Amino acid sequence: MKQLITIGIAIVITAFLGVTNHVNAQSKDNTIVNLDAKQQSIIAIASLTAKGDLQTLESALTEGLDAGLTVREIKEVMVHLYAYCGFPRSLRGLRTFIKVLDKRKAEGVEDQLGAEATPIEDNRTKYERGKANLETLVQAKLDGPPADYAQFAPIIEVFLKEHLFADIFDRDILVYRQRELVTVSVLATIGGVEPMLHSHMNICLIQGITPIQLKELMDVVGKNVDQEKIDSAKKVLNELLESKKQ
């Protein structure tokens, strides 16, 4: 009898693991290998907003809400991406989101609002906070000479540190991994920014996003982006991954 019970339990566990791995493959150390539904939605929403494909964006927004993204998380995606593709795309995306929410409310759907950003209680200057956030992103001290663009136009370095990496990255509605998924999705969508795309793909790896997940990101973005752009982005990713092997 005990042997039969043991066999039965083993069958149940095997079936459960089979379903789990089908939904979200895992590595031997139990870390997630594939992108989950929320991550895929974040990528699709960021890419479609950057592209300006508002009709398809409506469907992606609906799918994102159904996948469990909160209203504030999606709004934050669109706030974040303006730094990479501009206010016009961000504002049109937000207006499209309002339309989707109004339609769902009329249909009796109550979407989860989500948490607000935690108030900043840090006495450091915004520049110092931004520099610290960037160092956390790249997991390295940034005490070397300024980049060529920062030497050429010092004010842009101030804006990057104080606004992008302090004002925006200090907002904890999204975690760093989510923000980098947004950034890479936008850069791959707009195209022609390969050095920045390479840098942010590398940050994704540093932040624990796996090569498989980055390849899946390319697949999600590739559904709505010109083949030339996605081919270029995949080339950047392949070159980055090859460099890691050396």
Side-chain angles (χ1 to χ4, degrees):
M1 176 64 75
K2 288 183 178 180
Q3 185 177 10
L4 290 175
I5 293 174
T6 301
I7 293 172
I9 292 173
I11 292 172
V12 172
I13 292 174
T14 301
F16 174 77
L17 289 175
V19 172
T20 302
N21 287 334
H22 177 72
V23 174
N24 213 344
Q26 294 182 326
S27 66
K28 291 181 180 179
D29 62 355
N30 206 38
T31 56
I32 300 301
V33 174
N34 301 116
L35 295 169
D36 61 31
K38 288 185 179 181
Q39 290 171 320
Q40 291 184 45
S41 289
I42 285 172
I43 291 163
I45 290 168
S47 178
L48 290 166
T49 303
K51 183 182 178 183
D53 184 350
L54 304 182
Q55 183 174 357
T56 310
L57 176 61
E58 288 187 29
S59 298
L61 289 166
T62 298
E63 291 174 5
L65 290 166
D66 291 341
L69 287 174
T70 68
V71 173
R72 286 197 174 108
E73 284 173 335
I74 293 177
K75 287 196 292 185
E76 194 70 17
V77 167
M78 294 183 175
V79 169
H80 179 94
L81 63 80
Y82 100 82
Y84 298 93
C85 64
F87 272 117
R89 292 297 194 203
S90 178
L91 297 179
R92 294 212 72 188
L94 286 167
R95 283 175 170 161
T96 302
F97 192 27
I98 292 171
K99 179 180 176 182
V100 168
L101 290 174
D102 286 346
K103 180 181 178 181
R104 288 168 67 88
K105 185 176 181 180
E107 294 172 347
V109 179
E110 292 187 17
D111 290 304
Q112 184 179 355
L113 189 57
E116 295 185 17
T118 304
I120 303 300
E121 297 180 357
D122 191 323
N123 294 326
R124 292 176 298 176
T125 66
K126 285 202 295 184
Y127 189 92
E128 291 171 333
R129 293 194 340 248
K131 182 174 181 289
N133 287 341
L134 182 53
E135 289 177 338
T136 299
L137 270 174
V138 301
Q139 292 185 8
K141 282 291 183 181
L142 302 175
D143 296 327
D148 53 357
Y149 64 81
Q151 296 179 44
F152 184 66
I155 192 61
I156 198 71
E157 180 71 4
V158 174
F159 290 160
L160 281 169
K161 294 292 196 305
E162 294 188 353
H163 181 50
L164 175 56
F165 291 110
D167 288 338
I168 296 179
F169 270 81
D170 269 344
R171 294 173 56 81
D172 57 1
I173 294 176
L174 298 177
V175 299
Y176 285 179
R177 286 188 189 183
Q178 291 172 316
R179 291 190 181 278
E180 285 306 308
L181 290 177
V182 173
T183 301
V184 170
S185 301
V186 171
L187 295 178
T189 299
I190 63 178
V193 288
E194 285 76 13
M196 294 76 183
L197 184 57
H198 182 281
S199 295
H200 283 280
M201 284 180 172
N202 190 47
I203 291 174
C204 282
L205 295 175
I206 292 171
Q207 289 297 315
I209 296 169
T210 69
I212 290 176
Q213 288 173 325
L214 279 176
K215 290 177 180 178
E216 290 180 344
L217 182 153
M218 292 294 103
D219 291 337
V220 174
V221 172
K223 295 176 182 179
N224 303 293
V225 174
D226 295 341
Q227 191 61 44
E228 183 179 355
K229 290 181 179 178
I230 201 64
D231 285 345
S232 177
K234 286 182 177 179
K235 180 181 178 182
V236 172
L237 176 57
N238 289 335
E239 290 175 349
L240 172 62
L241 296 179
E242 282 298 318
S243 71
K244 295 294 183 182
K245 297 178 182 179
Q246 299 174 3

